[in-house]
Amino acid sequence: MSPRRSTEGGRIDRGRTIRFSFDGKTYQGHPGDTLASALMANGVRLFGRSFKYHRPRGLLAAGVDEPNALVTVLKGTVREPNIAATQIEIYEGLTVESQNRFPSLDVDAGAVNQLAGGLLSAGFYYKTFMGPVIGPLRGTRFWMACEHFIRRAAGLGRAGRDADPDRYERMNAFCDVLVVGAGPAGLMAAKAAAEAGKRVILADLDPVPGGSANWSGETIDGLPAAAWAQGTIEALGAMDTVRLLPRTTVWGYYDGNTLAALERVADHKPAPDRGEPRHRHWTIRAGAVVLATGAFERPLVFPGNDRPGVMLADAAVRLLREYGVVAGSRLALFANNDDAYRAAAALAEAGATIAAIVDMRDTVSPAARALAERAGAELLAGHAVTGTKGRKAIREITVQRLREGEITGQPRRIAVDCLLMSGGWSPAIHLASQAGTAPRWDEALQAFLPPKPTQNWVGAGAFAGRFATAAALADGLAAGAKVAGGKPPRKSAQPRVETLELDIAPAPVFEIRPPGKAGKAFVDFQHDVTAEDVRQAHREGFVSVEHLKRYTTLGMATDQGKTSNVPGLAIMAEARGITVPEVGTTRFRPPFTPVSLGALAAERYGELRPDRLTPMHDWHVENGATMYAAGLWYRPMIYGGRGETVEQAYVREAAATRAGVGIVDVSTLGKIMVQGPDAADFLDRVYTNTFSTLPVMKARYGLMLREDGLAYDDGTTWRLSQTDFLMTTTTANAGKVMQQLEYYLDIVWPDLKVTLTSVSDQWAGAAIAGPRSRDVLAACVAGTAVDNDTLPFMGIVRGEIDGVPVMICRLSFSGERAYEVYCGAGHGLHVWEALMEAGKPFAIVPYGLEALGTLRIEKGHVTGAEIDGRTTARDLYLDWMLSKKKPFAGSMMMDREGLCDDDRIRLVGIVALDDRPLGGGAHIVEHNDPAEIRDSIGHVTAGCYSPALGKYIALALVKGGKTRHGARAFVSDPLRKRFGPVEIVSHHFYDPEGSRMHG
Amino acid sequence: MLITCPYCGPRDLAEFSYQGDANRPRPDQHDTDQARWNAYVYDRSNPAGPHREYWQHAGGCRKHLLIVRSTLTHAIESVAFAGAQGATPQAPRRAAKGRTKTGPAKGKKP
Amino acid sequence: MAEYSLFSLIKNAWNGNRDWKPAWRKAEPKTDYDVVIVGGGGHGLATAYYLAKEHGITNVAVLEKGWLGSGNIGRNTTIVRSNYLLPESIRFYDFSVKLWEELAHDLNYNVMFSQRGILNLAHSPAQADDYIRRGNAMLHGGGDAEWLTPAEIAKKAPGVDLSASARFPVVGGLLQPRAGTARHDAVAWGYARGADRRGVDIVENCEVTGFLREGDRVVGVKSTRGEIRAKKIAVAVAGSTGRVMKLAGIDALPIESHVLQAFVTESLKPFVDTVVTFGGGHLYMSQSDKGSLVFGGDLDGYNSYAQRGNLPVVEEVMSEMVALFPGLARVRLLRSWGGVMDMSMDGSPIITTGPLPGMYLNSGWCYGGFKATPASGWTFAWTIAKDAPHAINAPFTLERFHRGALIDEKGQGATPKLH
């Protein structure tokens, strides 16, 4: 016998059929079905295999707490593993496969693990697999050989390696009131808050909000509860201050009443609509929150409680009332509370036979008895299920007398095809507990209730331990009114509920332990943690709740212990002879249910960072530049495209610049306007050298230290007027320097009258270098002369190029006569093209970062490779820039003994004596034995082929620095398999007197 | 975390850049006491509880704010512009023993 | 206490696993010890173990405020590596890796150190040079390193986005083959068991509430389980350093406590074999033996003693994860949590005598404490036993900050959130 579809009931559309496939077999279902309900309706009971023992497993739950029925959803080559069948809405063509089985779900070789039984007890892996202490398998080798197989056996679904073609989206929302959960309590809270004029967001994780109203079978305000819920939702939806978010799980409660939610926008369709994301990641800043997240039913722990066909009582009710699926034809119920009797009655009403109700309590309330009678069930009070039978589905249970906690009497066998169980309810307090305070144990409910709020939330309904529908409605109404700041609601505002009054409180028994050798009794179904594992943890001293969890892996599966947490604690409490709250509870961590990584990446999936492009970007690309990602910027590396190697290209570009003229895009440099009466004073404080003495329309090279006295950044600063300076920074440090300057002005020297403006994106810049650079400018600049008198070294002029106002400063990074031309960014390309045009007669070449680097290495200028956060100005022989006349940022810290040590690595030049390249990151050694990789005295910061010297040269940081000039050493670069002789020389390789740039 | 910028109103944590401990006074630029500079750069009181600290509204008005925030709960007690009266880091160092005062310090003008 | 072995497993399985004994005794604190170690995390337990094993000092108590291993030893991303840049760091962490390699046998506890390698991906020629400098430094310091081309990376870590159109295209990767992962909790439990069976008292639920002083000298602690005197008091409390040292009157240290989040996905069949780091941002990830992807990124970036973080970092880390492995967009985050990091001012630790007479301090691990556990315990035990540091930890002093003898791997200066 097997589960079947009832002829009526549920919200499925029996008039339409949907075809889907599971493990290659095609099935039919109806709109409104979940994968779980549709498969059950087709008589399928085997859904998955467990993690460790590969035991056959069926459906346990009906919601997000499902631990067993995990499957992989396939869309082409894209895989989505570990999705609970209860959470998948079927659609035409849905393709799903089962997991963690080989070769098939039905015949799984991994089931052999069941034979190892006691060997695979809690923490067994800590005690073995260590291998021999000596021999070829010593150290970690034996373990790694074992681990190879363990890893293949472990794991659930398989993830895909192909990129996910769908897109994800992020949404920010603000509201007065966020209501989490649209069951009776949540609906009333939303209604009350909305009617008080608040902006409300109502989120529910199900496709059809309504919560328990959708399956309780009760009557609210004279309507079937489900209809009442839909009516209430429609009314809320009609209010423009209410936003309804179905299929939306609020999963994280962060600081400042910020909540994170996942909306599954298109999972229920074959593909997202055009422009639609698959998931939407909501960040909701709520004035107040109503938590109405309901509760999870708990399983009971007894031997064989994991057999397919054993399921939670409420899950069977949901299958019936939401999807019209009868979980079995001959059922039994095993419970420790009255409330579960409803399930027996409901299934009996749907035509199933209720063979027995096994209640571990001796006395059962009259109301429950009446239900048992209505279900036509034999009531076995004071009894317990002590075992189950059946290979891949349950076919029989064993029942025995339970007297004062002891199993006695003769076992009785009852044939069933489904066993419902209920161990009471655990409120879903996860969100409330994420903020870190401990929940409270309620002895009567045998459950943890939410902690006192540390943020602005109010709880309602089953979440708060008020399980009955009437109480939930009243609670919701009160919570809604409270967060809306209004008056307490009138009694008449509360809907009337027609229901059977049943006591929800369970007997404080979670486990049934028949004497003698019994089968495994599972606490954590997915991770195969048994009651015996919990007791073993106790014996081995892993008795605190966190040790229990970590040692046995209890509660660490994809369901995060939603069903296993309390039973596990109860068993440990009993073993220790203390109460459950004394064992403690673990803190729930976000997310409440798993969240796709893509959703959290949102719009950054496929586009991690924005691109920063200079105004001349397209020109570079069109002219053959190979672009190079430098931080967020893209910059030309070389202008190749002539079949040149990178080296050939940069050597050509650098040589042409030194011989004639070259042009490079320097728009990426950081540019900060420093303005105000105290601007010069300010610069004197932050730069190591003096700027107050700088004449107007002159520039000066400046060096900045960090507060700890190490070198920070360098660049030129141009004095445009008495009170206006344009500071340039390195590309990489533009943001950080700006922030540091703002820090000084806001906090350290708020009395200085200075304003800072970042203008990096407002100015485009081009540097023209080479002996013919002046000729190029002369040919295109209007409004000013550019001769040596008008525009001497470090001078600044304003002029025009092809109608565009420009600012030109004569400064040089290359060691050649050179100029930087700045114009408004919008005219950058125009000016660049005008300069190229003017340069044609002089054979101007554009050059990229490689040539720029080559020119600066030849000249011995430092950049980020040398100013790497660990070097001082002295290490870089920039002592001459350290003013002795004034204090400056870092001046008191730069002379500490550790920063003046003789042993520090300092800047030198090196020349390859074997005519081979010197790569950045190569090390320098004194010995001449390539096989001896040891005793580094420093490293290469940047190397190149120098066309000016006709040699491979590099800058390096070497112990002793200058004292080694003229010494022989060896480059040792074992990673690139390079070793060879070098000579250590001055870092000023080229034109050390500077005659070329001053000329 | 939401920070209520005095200019911009309540804004998300993502807009702000943490600028660190506001309890350590920066010595005067002309101060030549090495110990004071060392303390300023390296030593932190690192309290468990209310912490005076600087944040910059980097994704907004770019002002630096002096915030008192609990390092145990992340709850924000107060937000003010940094460098305003009473919020200067040049305040004389309090010789508190193992305790951090939470209120704005009575500071000298720099 | 019985040896753990396949044989003992079989024997116990036969007896229904009823004969296992506690991994460590629940010791009652005595009133007097030779050494009291404050902090029952990985470093404190390792210190106790090596004090007993290497120095024969067994009259030792480890005091733990909560449950043993409740701090960062059980909250990290389990990576063990020694791919450092500076000679002091290379020497220290390489020593640690050597101890790791023998740890399971040493402790008779399978800490599951698996040398599956760590692969640092480089995304620009400049970053490649930087990593090559580091790899060469490792080799010159006696460690191991290899440089991988993108084609080799494709084999080593299939699924990594190696396309030229990636926002940060991969140009190469630095591999340290001897690096890997270990089972974090097992390290705490293994050290606890090893120390316990050498006679060390491990006292859980014992919070230190003050220090006993005789003049300058620290001579014991006050605790929630009474006063405990000792000749030497060692503090190894990581993120709680500030709080505990304040009890001793030390108000300022070169340390800030910051929150670092860590993440795991649901369990998957083998997806990636090695530890992979993404250089286009800050991300490190690996796959546990259970099948979860374990990963993390930057600090939240503000002082915190709360073991939880906020959304911006969550979003950033996930963004980097799917940039590195675009196939993972449909894989789901299962759990996130936070740990409190003792961020030092140069990103390197402090293992030292002092700062008060009778006291010893082990701190400043930033988020590199897990891999250091064996070497930290070993060198701290040496420092306590000999009243002087071993050559391996001699550079990691408390005075180095003021002196300027910094060990700044990242070159970020005194900005803890950036280390």
Side-chain angles (χ1 to χ4, degrees):
Chain A
M1 296 305 288
S2 55
R4 62 181 167 81
R5 184 83 74 182
S6 64
T7 48
E8 55 181 34
R11 55 164 190 264
I12 48 159
D13 178 1
R14 285 183 177 74
R16 287 195 291 148
T17 300
I18 289 173
R19 289 156 57 87
F20 65 96
S21 99
F22 176 59
D23 274 348
K25 193 175 166 197
T26 303
Y27 296 91
Q28 294 189 347
H30 299 296
D33 259 327
T34 65
L35 179 67
S37 67
L39 283 175
M40 288 283 277
N42 280 282
V44 173
R45 284 203 275 179
L46 180 60
F47 278 78
R49 290 277 175 170
S50 69
F51 190 78
K52 189 155 77 172
Y53 299 119
H54 290 253
R55 288 171 68 107
R57 290 281 167 80
L59 206 63
L60 179 76
V64 293
D65 46 340
E66 172 55 36
N68 292 330
L70 303 187
V71 297
T72 301
V73 180
L74 306 174
K75 282 187 179 169
T77 60
V78 177
R79 308 175 62 87
E80 191 180 15
N82 303 341
I83 311 299
T86 54
Q87 299 306 103
I88 298 169
E89 297 172 62
I90 61 166
Y91 51 80
E92 190 64 35
L94 169 70
T95 308
V96 168
E97 66 178 32
S98 60
Q99 305 183 152
N100 196 33
R101 80 286 185 271
F102 177 83
S104 73
L105 188 56
D106 209 41
V107 182
D108 180 9
V112 71
N113 285 357
Q114 292 173 48
L115 299 177
L119 260 189
L120 306 187
S121 60
F124 73 97
Y125 27 72
Y126 300 125
K127 297 169 182 156
T128 184
F129 302 128
M130 289 173 273
V133 182
I134 51 165
L137 288 176
R138 69 183 184 282
T140 57
R141 287 190 193 144
F142 182 82
W143 160 242
M144 288 181 68
C146 299
E147 190 191 30
H148 177 82
F149 296 101
I150 292 169
R151 282 171 85 90
R152 267 145 195 79
L156 297 167
R158 191 158 60 80
R161 297 195 198 280
D162 292 344
D164 181 351
D166 288 337
R167 51 178 291 272
Y168 297 88
E169 195 171 274
R170 179 196 164 107
M171 189 76 102
N172 286 295
F174 293 80
C175 61
D176 299 319
V177 179
L178 168 66
V179 180
V180 186
L187 286 174
M188 288 314 291
K191 190 164 181 279
E195 282 171 357
K198 298 295 175 189
R199 290 174 307 153
V200 175
I201 294 179
L202 174 60
D204 192 272
L205 49 75
D206 280 328
V208 179
S212 67
N214 285 340
W215 64 84
S216 70
E218 294 166 332
T219 302
I220 302 178
D221 270 353
L223 291 169
W228 171 85
Q230 296 325 304
T232 309
I233 289 161
E234 268 167 42
L236 284 170
M239 299 174 75
D240 55 12
T241 51
V242 177
R243 190 200 284 269
L244 288 173
L245 294 175
R247 296 191 179 92
T248 302
T249 309
V250 178
W251 58 263
Y253 203 142
Y254 289 94
D255 290 325
N257 250 24
T258 302
L259 292 95
L262 179 79
E263 182 185 3
R264 292 171 300 282
V265 180
D267 275 348
H268 59 293
K269 311 175 188 179
D273 293 344
R274 193 180 156 77
E276 192 176 55
R278 184 170 87 93
H279 288 170
R280 189 174 284 131
H281 164 47
W282 287 81
T283 306
I284 303 169
R285 284 100 184 164
V289 178
V290 176
L291 294 174
T293 48
F296 293 113
E297 196 170 21
R298 298 184 296 232
L300 291 165
V301 182
F302 56 92
N305 65 341
D306 68 325
R307 194 114 26 220
V310 182
M311 67 193 310
L312 294 169
D314 195 54
V317 174
R318 285 190 71 173
L319 279 173
L320 178 66
R321 294 231 172 90
E322 290 195 280
Y323 310 105
V325 173
V326 187
S329 51
R330 187 178 159 81
L331 299 89
L333 168 70
F334 182 27
N336 67 355
N337 63 79
D338 282 5
D339 191 59
Y341 283 60
R342 291 177 207 272
L347 279 138
E349 208 170 299
T353 303
I354 310 300
I357 294 180
V358 183
D359 195 322
M360 55 176 72
R361 300 170 301 174
D362 285 321
T363 48
V364 176
S365 73
R369 273 184 190 283
L371 273 182
E373 228 163 87
R374 211 164 93 194
E378 179 185 2
L379 177 57
L380 295 167
H383 278 69
V385 176
T386 55
T388 65
K389 280 212 170 115
R391 268 171 54 76
K392 280 171 198 130
I394 189 167
R395 58 183 165 75
E396 180 183 292
I397 58 171
T398 310
V399 178
Q400 274 176 279
R401 182 81 174 93
L402 177 70
R403 184 177 291 148
E404 282 156 11
E406 296 295 319
I407 297 290
T408 59
Q410 284 304 305
R412 175 178 157 195
R413 291 171 178 184
I414 301 171
V416 297
D417 60 2
C418 179
L419 174 65
L420 309 182
M421 60 178 166
S422 174
W425 293 82
S426 291
I429 59 172
H430 304 68
L431 290 174
S433 143
Q434 283 177 12
T437 37
R440 298 169 290 129
W441 177 254
D442 186 290
E443 191 61 31
L445 293 171
Q446 289 287 301
F448 284 104
L449 297 185
K452 288 211 167 59
T454 49
Q455 299 214 55
N456 192 16
W457 60 260
V458 180
F463 162 88
R466 289 182 283 279
F467 293 97
T469 304
L473 291 166
D475 231 28
L477 199 56
K482 183 174 175 197
V483 294
K487 279 186 240 140
R490 284 168 292 117
K491 187 91 178 150
S492 60
Q494 191 186 320
R496 282 173 299 102
V497 185
E498 288 161 44
T499 184
L500 215 56
E501 291 297 330
L502 287 171
D503 185 7
I504 193 91
V509 179
F510 293 91
E511 187 197 2
I512 300 303
R513 282 177 81 185
K517 221 167 164 61
K520 287 187 164 53
F522 287 87
V523 182
D524 185 318
F525 287 76
Q526 194 183 117
H527 266 172
D528 276 345
V529 180
T530 65
E532 212 39 58
D533 287 328
V534 175
R535 277 186 281 277
Q536 189 191 328
H538 170 246
R539 283 192 285 277
E540 296 195 64
F542 295 95
V543 296
S544 84
V545 57
E546 283 287 346
H547 282 155
L548 167 66
K549 181 177 120 183
R550 287 152 187 265
Y551 193 63
T552 64
T553 74
L554 174 81
M556 298 183 87
T558 59
D559 59 320
Q560 293 274 286
K562 290 185 176 70
T563 52
S564 63
N565 185 27
V566 171
L569 290 176
I571 294 167
M572 177 58 82
E574 193 183 323
R576 293 179 66 183
I578 58 176
T579 63
V580 172
E582 284 173 308
V583 180
T585 183
T586 64
R587 184 153 143 188
F588 292 107
R589 301 284 182 176
F592 168 62
T593 56
V595 179
S596 61
L597 303 190
L600 292 170
E603 72 287 347
R604 279 185 271 181
Y605 174 56
E607 194 170 347
L608 179 61
R609 298 276 187 272
D611 297 342
R612 289 187 84 178
L613 307 177
T614 75
M616 292 83 104
H617 180 83
D618 291 348
W619 189 95
H620 302 319
V621 174
E622 282 159 22
N623 286 272
T626 303
M627 301 305 285
Y628 175 111
L632 299 183
W633 288 104
Y634 284 94
R635 305 183 67 181
M637 181 167 78
I638 52 162
Y639 295 84
R642 297 171 182 80
E644 291 172 311
T645 63
V646 171
E647 183 176 299
Q648 285 166 343
Y650 80 70
V651 166
R652 172 183 51 75
E653 291 168 12
T657 301
R658 293 228 189 274
V661 59
I663 181 167
V664 61
D665 183 351
V666 295
S667 305
T668 62
L669 287 178
K671 294 172 281 286
I672 300 169
M673 284 305 297
V674 182
Q675 294 164 296
D678 296 324
D681 180 12
F682 179 57
L683 292 174
D684 281 352
R685 298 187 193 195
V686 297
Y687 272 128
T688 63
N689 46 340
T690 308
F691 279 77
S692 48
T693 55
L694 181 66
V696 172
M697 293 309 266
K698 280 280 200 181
R700 184 167 285 171
Y701 176 60
L703 175 70
M704 239 179 252
L705 305 187
R706 284 195 314 232
E707 292 279 56
D708 64 357
L710 280 86
Y712 187 26
D713 198 61
D714 64 347
T716 56
T717 288
W718 312 5
R719 187 167 209 168
L720 302 179
S721 82
Q722 201 59 31
T723 56
D724 294 276
F725 293 83
L726 175 64
M727 172 190 285
T728 66
T729 74
T730 58
T731 301
N733 283 337
K736 289 198 306 194
V737 168
M738 178 71 184
Q739 206 164 23
Q740 184 65 25
L741 298 182
E742 287 170 325
Y743 178 89
Y744 284 134
L745 284 180
D746 263 2
I747 294 174
V748 181
W749 303 305
D751 51 329
L752 288 188
K753 292 188 176 64
V754 180
T755 62
L756 301 170
T757 315
S758 169
V759 293
S760 299
D761 292 328
Q762 278 65 36
W763 293 99
I768 322 170
R772 309 304 298 270
S773 56
R774 184 185 290 149
D775 299 327
V776 176
L777 288 187
C780 65
V781 175
T784 177
V786 293
D787 60 276
N788 198 40
D789 289 339
T790 318
L791 188 51
F793 187 62
M794 286 296 182
I796 302 167
V797 295
R798 294 179 195 271
E800 261 184 22
I801 292 179
D802 203 13
V804 176
V806 296
M807 220 165 28
I808 304 169
C809 180
R810 181 172 165 193
L811 49 83
S812 177
F813 194 54
S814 57
E816 295 300 322
R817 174 189 298 156
Y819 305 85
E820 280 184 13
V821 180
Y822 280 3
C823 66
H827 302 295
L829 178 60
H830 184 78
V831 169
W832 176 274
E833 283 177 334
L835 286 165
M836 286 301 296
E837 187 61 30
K840 256 187 194 161
F842 311 100
I844 191 167
V845 293
Y847 63 94
L849 282 186
E850 289 290 333
L852 182 85
T854 299
L855 296 168
R856 75 102 185 172
I857 292 168
E858 289 177 337
K859 190 63 194 156
H861 275 311
V862 293
T863 62
E866 294 81 30
I867 305 183
D868 67 354
R870 285 173 291 261
T871 47
T872 66
R874 286 194 190 85
D875 294 339
L876 304 174
Y877 296 103
L878 295 172
D879 329 18
W880 58 277
M881 299 190 68
L882 305 174
S883 169
K884 292 191 175 59
K885 295 184 189 137
K886 52 140 193 167
F888 48 86
S891 62
M892 268 305 293
M893 295 297 279
M894 66 183 187
D895 294 327
R896 293 174 295 152
E897 55 175 303
L899 301 179
C900 305
D901 199 301
D902 288 341
D903 220 23
R904 292 181 67 83
I905 52 175
R906 304 185 69 181
L907 185 66
V908 296
I910 57 171
V911 177
L913 299 180
D914 57 2
D915 212 22
R916 290 168 60 206
L918 300 166
H923 280 240
I924 313 290
V925 296
E926 289 172 295
H927 62 79
N928 183 16
D929 184 354
E932 284 288 311
I933 307 171
R934 58 175 168 79
D935 300 334
S936 163
I937 58 166
H939 66 275
V940 172
T941 55
C944 66
Y945 180 79
S946 162
L949 279 74
K951 293 171 186 167
Y952 283 101
I953 63 168
L955 296 177
L957 291 165
V958 170
K959 278 182 190 171
K962 241 178 200 173
T963 61
R964 291 186 192 262
H965 283 183
R968 169 74 66 97
F970 299 87
V971 63
S972 174
D973 191 354
L975 270 192
R976 285 180 291 217
K977 311 206 167 23
R978 161 94 169 93
F979 190 93
V982 297
E983 188 188 350
I984 297 176
V985 298
S986 160
H987 58 283
H988 300 295
F989 290 100
Y990 181 74
D991 186 28
E993 301 78 31
S995 55
R996 295 179 68 91
M997 66 182 181
H998 287 99
Chain B
M1 205 185 290
L2 280 182
I3 296 175
T4 304
C5 171
Y7 268 145
C8 312
R11 295 301 176 96
D12 192 76
L13 170 66
E15 292 185 9
F16 295 84
S17 168
Y18 185 61
Q19 297 286 66
D21 190 344
N23 295 300
R24 55 207 175 96
R26 189 182 195 272
D28 183 87
Q29 187 87 341
H30 293 271
D31 192 334
T32 56
D33 184 320
Q34 187 69 50
R36 268 200 290 273
W37 279 99
N38 286 345
Y40 160 65
V41 174
Y42 291 111
D43 296 349
R44 305 287 193 274
S45 60
N46 194 26
H51 187 230
R52 284 160 47 86
E53 56 197 26
Y54 294 121
W55 291 76
Q56 185 187 19
H57 194 185
C61 61
R62 293 195 70 86
K63 288 302 285 180
H64 281 80
L65 308 176
L66 175 71
I67 290 180
V68 180
R69 183 185 61 94
S70 167
T71 58
L72 289 170
T73 65
H74 300 165
I76 292 170
E77 284 177 25
S78 67
V79 183
F81 288 123
Q85 178 74 33
T88 153
Q90 259 115 335
R93 205 129 194 237
R94 277 170 285 112
K97 277 246 188 267
R99 242 179 303 124
T100 307
K101 276 210 295 201
T102 60
K106 290 187 204 96
K108 272 191 295 198
K109 276 293 228 181
Chain C
M1 192 178 297
E3 285 292 315
Y4 288 157
S5 65
L6 183 58
F7 176 72
S8 72
L9 267 180
I10 293 168
K11 201 180 99 194
N12 276 283
W14 187 255
N15 294 339
N17 287 308
R18 278 170 223 284
D19 297 338
W20 293 113
K21 296 285 176 291
W24 62 90
R25 291 169 293 130
K26 306 281 167 201
E28 284 298 319
K30 298 188 290 187
T31 53
D32 241 305
Y33 287 95
D34 290 337
V35 179
V36 158
I37 297 167
V38 184
H43 291 218
L45 293 165
T47 304
Y49 174 77
Y50 291 113
L51 271 175
K53 179 175 179 245
E54 302 291 335
H55 305 282
I57 301 173
T58 58
N59 186 24
V60 175
V62 178
L63 309 183
E64 167 54 45
K65 173 178 72 172
W67 43 278
L68 182 148
S70 51
N72 296 336
I73 186 76
R75 294 174 191 276
N76 58 76
T77 45
T78 79
I79 299 167
V80 173
R81 59 182 178 88
S82 60
N83 53 352
Y84 281 78
L85 175 68
L86 303 174
E88 298 88 345
S89 313
I90 292 169
R91 188 166 47 173
F92 181 86
Y93 289 103
D94 220 57
F95 175 62
S96 203
V97 170
K98 288 194 176 90
L99 291 173
W100 274 109
E101 285 169 336
E102 300 303 328
L103 195 58
H105 288 124
D106 194 15
L107 297 175
N108 177 232
Y109 206 92
N110 189 1
V111 297
M112 302 185 192
F113 177 38
S114 175
Q115 294 179 288
R116 44 192 60 256
I118 185 168
L119 175 60
N120 306 126
L121 298 176
H123 304 263
S124 71
Q127 194 171 33
D129 281 359
D130 214 40
Y131 286 6
I132 287 170
R133 174 186 169 194
R134 178 144 57 99
N136 279 329
M138 290 154 65
L139 289 168
H140 285 84
D144 61 318
E146 292 170 21
W147 186 252
L148 301 192
T149 62
E152 291 165 322
I153 291 165
K155 278 197 209 126
K156 189 88 190 157
V160 167
D161 185 358
L162 292 167
S163 62
S165 60
R167 179 62 182 84
F168 299 106
V170 174
V171 301
L174 178 66
L175 178 73
Q176 186 191 16
R178 284 164 64 237
T181 56
R183 171 83 186 106
H184 55 10
D185 288 324
V187 178
W189 302 336
Y191 273 122
R193 177 169 166 270
D196 174 84
R197 70 163 147 188
R198 283 175 169 79
V200 171
D201 281 352
I202 293 165
V203 187
E204 293 176 83
N205 301 309
C206 177
E207 183 175 0
V208 168
T209 55
F211 287 85
L212 301 173
R213 305 280 288 264
E214 278 173 12
D216 254 5
R217 196 170 181 83
V218 178
V219 296
V221 298
K222 293 179 212 161
S223 83
T224 50
R225 296 178 71 171
E227 289 192 355
I228 306 169
R229 299 180 79 84
K231 296 185 185 76
K232 300 180 177 186
I233 311 285
V235 177
V237 294
S240 296
T241 301
R243 281 201 267 200
V244 170
M245 294 303 281
K246 271 190 180 57
L247 300 173
I250 308 288
D251 282 331
L253 283 168
I255 287 172
E256 283 182 6
S257 293
H258 282 248
V259 60
L260 175 69
Q261 299 190 65
F263 307 92
V264 294
T265 67
E266 296 175 326
S267 180
L268 304 168
K269 288 293 175 195
F271 180 80
V272 64
D273 212 39
T274 186
V275 184
V276 184
T277 74
F278 175 60
H282 187 195
L283 174 82
Y284 36 92
M285 64 86 70
S286 67
Q287 187 169 19
S288 75
D289 286 345
K290 225 169 69 187
S292 301
L293 303 177
V294 183
F295 57 110
D298 267 330
L299 295 169
D300 263 42
Y302 43 81
N303 283 48
S304 174
Y305 286 90
Q307 288 173 327
R308 58 197 177 80
N310 273 295
L311 265 178
V313 165
V314 179
E315 291 161 350
E316 171 61 26
V317 172
M318 301 309 134
S319 304
E320 293 186 19
M321 192 76 165
V322 294
L324 180 61
F325 290 105
L328 290 181
R330 291 176 108 91
V331 162
R332 303 191 298 170
L333 173 68
L334 175 63
R335 192 169 62 247
S336 65
W337 64 93
V340 181
M341 307 294 126
D342 37 337
M343 301 303 299
S344 74
M345 294 293 143
D346 64 358
S348 293
I350 297 157
I351 311 169
T352 184
T353 56
L356 298 171
M359 194 179 229
Y360 304 80
L361 179 64
N362 175 323
S363 181
W365 291 99
C366 301
Y367 44 96
F370 178 65
K371 61 178 144 335
T373 306
S376 165
W378 196 97
T379 56
F380 198 35
W382 175 290
T383 306
I384 295 163
K386 313 258 181 194
D387 270 315
H390 187 271
I392 292 172
N393 66 308
F396 298 97
T397 63
L398 185 56
E399 300 78 38
R400 73 173 186 275
F401 300 96
H402 289 188
R403 282 185 50 234
L406 306 160
I407 308 169
D408 190 345
E409 284 282 329
K410 287 199 181 163
Q412 293 290 0
T415 313
K417 69 169 181 174
L418 298 179
H419 284 295

